[in-house]
Amino acid sequence: MDMKKSLKRINVFLIFSLLISTVTVFYFFYNADQNKTGLVEDVTADFSEGWQVTERQTNKITVRRVLPQTLQESGVFSLKANSMAVQVRVGGRVIKEHGDINKTGFELPFGNVLLFAPLAPEDAGSELEITFAAREPINETQLFFDMYIGPKAGVSALLLRENLSVSLYSISCVILCVLFVAFSCALLARTGNRGYRSFLYFSLFVLLSGIWMETDTDILQWITGRTTAIFFASYLSFMLLPPMIFLFLGEMKLHCTKVLHILCWIHLANLLICLLLHLCKVVPLTHMIVEIHALMLVSIVVMTVTLARERWLYRSRESMVSFAGMGILGLSVVISVIQYYLSEGNGSNSAIFRFGLFLFVLLFSAETFQQMAYILRENEKAERYRQYAYLDALTGLFNRRSFEEELKRLQEAAEESFTILMFDINGLKEANDHFGHSEGDLLIINGAKCIQEAFVNIGLCFPHWRRRICCGCSRENEKHH
């Protein structure tokens, strides 16, 4: 595959990625932080208001509300809970539960859960009670949101519609990751260039961001029911994002690779410590989110200052792109973290962070494509120079250096004899004197071409001084001709 075809494929890939990203941005703005009431179908009602607290303890709370006077067939009541045990009762009868509300500490479930409690038409007008149990004091604002009542099909459609934008982003990330890995493998096989590492690191970052976004929604938990596994997948993908960024930036010809590697090891050590504390039942991961956010914010500040200094001192393209990308991502992270704590931990990732992450991925995708094109161009130049080192510029035959290497190879092959033929081109001086050196060169070119065609399957031809063509033939080739 020549250079033009390689660049054409890269451009097609870039256009395809831009189209996917444009559609993703459209859905981000269309679905981001909308009023959930506006998304409710005609047969589905928002059931988040009107609850009364009937019992309150430190880490447990019970609320109730009267069901509507009419209920449809196959009706459900849906609610979300974050790392809590939940029990739903109608008229004192348990219709749905998650975990054990009488347990405490590590015995309580981890992860976000979406519950569908079945409601029968005869339950109309009955009292609906819910008991929540958590590891820490419960804030009422953490409970009364995203509660719906209606047919299961309507509530399911509402859930899919609310999470459509994030799911689309996750699918785009998987596609980008697969394509980046394919291009990395092709680049490695074609050039052997170590630059393929940056593509692999970036593809892993894109994949991890997609996994984190998707596990932060309710889709996977709703489909699989494995809340604990999805909880760990969400935390692991979230905590592995910074190391992937630092490893990727470390491959971009920056002068601050030492700082990047230190930050990478700090985040990996933090991940290991957090997992050990959780698995040893010392501190749950949900209680370490403040420390994780603090480390991330400190890393953003350090990286911003470091890249700003890099940009000021060296003014390279890599430093400019890195500083711009980290600035966009860092700003969106800071705003998202502030929003998270102002809302007291409610909800999922903010639209601001999703949009910042999208811009970061888009910016570095374009930069990665340009790096790939640059590596292909440099590889083509190197290949051309290698050819020039062994080819004669005038005749296109292998040059004297190639002749000496071929002669050495034939001499070392002791089991075979070989023949060396020398051809002189007569009349070269007369052609130069009477018609000019250009005609003399043409005489040499045509003579070399005729000799090469005659020995094409017998031996190799080499220019030997100005007017002499040399051919080397092994005895094995001579027998066949």
Side-chain angles (χ1 to χ4, degrees):
M1 182 174 62
D2 58 20
M3 185 63 198
K4 291 184 178 179
K5 291 182 178 180
S6 301
L7 293 177
K8 185 176 180 181
R9 292 188 180 184
I10 291 176
N11 290 332
V12 171
F13 182 27
L14 179 58
I15 293 173
F16 176 71
S17 304
L18 288 173
L19 287 176
I20 293 178
S21 304
T22 303
V23 175
T24 305
V25 168
F26 172 77
Y27 273 104
F28 275 0
F29 279 107
Y30 180 73
N31 282 333
D33 296 337
Q34 294 190 56
N35 184 354
K36 297 297 189 292
T37 305
L39 294 174
V40 177
E41 306 291 338
D42 294 337
V43 293
T44 305
D46 192 340
F47 215 61
S48 302
E49 299 179 354
W51 292 90
Q52 297 178 352
V53 178
T54 59
E55 182 182 352
R56 185 194 301 273
Q57 299 179 16
T58 304
N59 298 341
K60 186 184 294 186
I61 189 172
T62 301
V63 297
R64 68 178 180 86
R65 181 181 173 181
V66 177
L67 290 171
Q69 295 302 316
T70 57
L71 293 175
Q72 300 182 10
E73 293 287 343
S74 302
V76 295
F77 166 69
S78 70
L79 76 157
K80 299 178 183 179
N82 184 12
S83 296
M84 296 181 185
V86 183
Q87 187 181 83
V88 184
R89 301 180 296 275
V90 173
R93 173 174 51 90
V94 177
I95 61 172
K96 192 71 176 180
E97 60 182 347
H98 174 69
D100 190 343
I101 59 174
N102 296 316
K103 300 293 185 178
T104 58
F106 279 88
E107 296 177 338
L108 291 173
F110 288 93
N112 296 329
V113 62
L114 174 68
L115 296 180
F116 279 21
L119 296 175
E122 54 269 22
D123 293 331
S126 300
E127 190 174 80
L128 177 65
E129 287 186 319
I130 310 175
T131 300
F132 298 91
R135 298 176 184 82
E136 54 209 18
I138 298 177
N139 188 337
E140 293 180 18
T141 59
Q142 297 175 322
L143 306 178
F144 306 126
F145 66 96
D146 291 341
M147 292 183 176
Y148 300 102
I149 190 170
K152 186 175 182 179
V155 177
S156 301
L158 177 63
L159 171 68
L160 292 174
R161 187 175 176 183
E162 287 180 354
N163 294 281
L164 180 60
S165 61
V166 179
S167 298
L168 182 60
Y169 175 83
S170 301
I171 294 173
S172 302
C173 287
V174 173
I175 295 174
L176 282 174
C177 177
V178 171
L179 292 177
F180 268 121
V181 171
F183 271 98
S184 301
C185 295
L187 187 65
L188 178 62
R190 179 173 172 80
T191 67
N193 192 296
R194 68 183 297 269
Y196 77 94
R197 293 182 183 177
S198 64
F199 307 140
L200 289 180
Y201 291 147
F202 187 69
S203 65
L204 288 176
F205 170 79
V206 172
L207 180 62
L208 288 171
S209 66
I211 293 174
W212 180 44
M213 285 291 188
E214 190 62 32
T215 54
D216 198 52
T217 65
D218 309 301
I219 298 294
L220 292 180
Q221 183 274 326
W222 179 47
I223 295 174
T224 64
R226 300 180 179 275
T227 57
T228 303
I230 295 172
F231 165 79
F232 276 105
S234 179
Y235 264 83
L236 286 175
S237 57
F238 171 71
M239 297 177 72
L240 284 172
L241 284 176
M244 288 300 107
I245 294 177
F246 300 142
L247 289 174
F248 168 67
L249 294 178
E251 298 291 329
M252 289 192 64
K253 301 178 182 178
L254 299 174
H255 297 80
C256 56
T257 53
K258 187 175 181 180
V259 176
L260 293 170
H261 290 160
I262 292 174
L263 290 175
C264 178
W265 282 111
I266 290 175
H267 278 268
L268 290 176
N270 178 63
L271 170 60
L272 181 60
I273 292 171
C274 291
L275 286 177
L276 288 176
L277 291 176
H278 181 89
L279 295 176
C280 295
K281 297 184 178 182
V282 178
V283 182
L285 282 173
T286 53
H287 289 186
M288 290 182 279
I289 191 67
V290 176
E291 289 76 9
I292 295 173
H293 284 164
L295 177 59
M296 183 175 295
L297 293 176
V298 170
S299 299
I300 289 174
V301 172
V302 172
M303 279 305 305
T304 302
V305 173
T306 303
L307 291 175
R309 179 179 178 274
E310 177 97 8
R311 173 61 180 161
W312 177 263
L313 292 178
Y314 301 101
R315 300 185 180 277
S316 63
R317 174 183 174 80
E318 291 80 6
S319 63
M320 180 189 69
V321 174
S322 301
F323 179 71
M326 282 303 302
I328 293 172
L329 185 62
L331 182 61
S332 63
V333 169
V334 171
I335 295 175
S336 181
V337 170
I338 294 174
Q339 184 182 16
Y340 175 85
Y341 287 104
L342 289 179
S343 63
E344 299 181 357
N346 292 340
S348 57
N349 296 317
S350 69
I352 295 176
F353 176 74
R354 290 184 304 199
F355 185 61
L357 187 60
F358 156 76
L359 290 179
F360 181 85
V361 171
L362 184 61
L363 176 64
F364 279 101
S365 293
E367 177 64 20
T368 303
F369 295 145
Q370 293 195 9
Q371 286 186 20
M372 192 177 298
Y374 173 78
I375 291 175
L376 290 174
R377 284 195 298 267
E378 292 300 311
N379 181 71
E380 186 182 32
K381 289 181 182 179
E383 184 65 27
R384 193 180 303 120
Y385 292 150
R386 281 193 293 270
Q387 293 177 358
Y388 291 160
Y390 288 92
L391 294 179
D392 179 64
L394 178 62
T395 62
L397 300 178
F398 290 104
N399 58 17
R400 179 162 182 155
R401 178 179 179 182
S402 302
F403 170 71
E404 292 175 352
E405 292 186 3
E406 178 67 11
L407 181 62
K408 182 180 180 181
R409 187 190 68 82
L410 292 173
Q411 289 174 341
E412 291 176 352
E415 69 278 4
E416 292 186 5
S417 59
F418 60 91
T419 303
I420 299 294
L421 301 177
M422 294 287 186
F423 297 89
D424 281 337
I425 299 177
N426 295 327
L428 180 61
K429 185 177 184 306
E430 291 77 5
N432 288 331
D433 293 341
H434 291 86
F435 304 105
H437 286 277
S438 59
E439 292 297 325
D441 291 343
L442 186 60
L443 180 62
I444 296 174
I445 293 172
N446 291 332
K449 183 178 180 181
C450 292
I451 298 172
Q452 185 181 31
E453 290 176 354
F455 286 83
V456 64
N457 294 319
I458 302 176
L460 298 177
C461 298
F462 311 87
H464 195 267
W465 302 112
R466 179 68 174 170
R467 50 179 289 182
R468 184 174 297 169
I469 304 296
C470 176
C471 295
C473 310
S474 65
R475 179 58 58 86
E476 185 67 24
N477 288 337
E478 292 179 32
K479 290 179 181 179
H480 289 87
H481 297 80

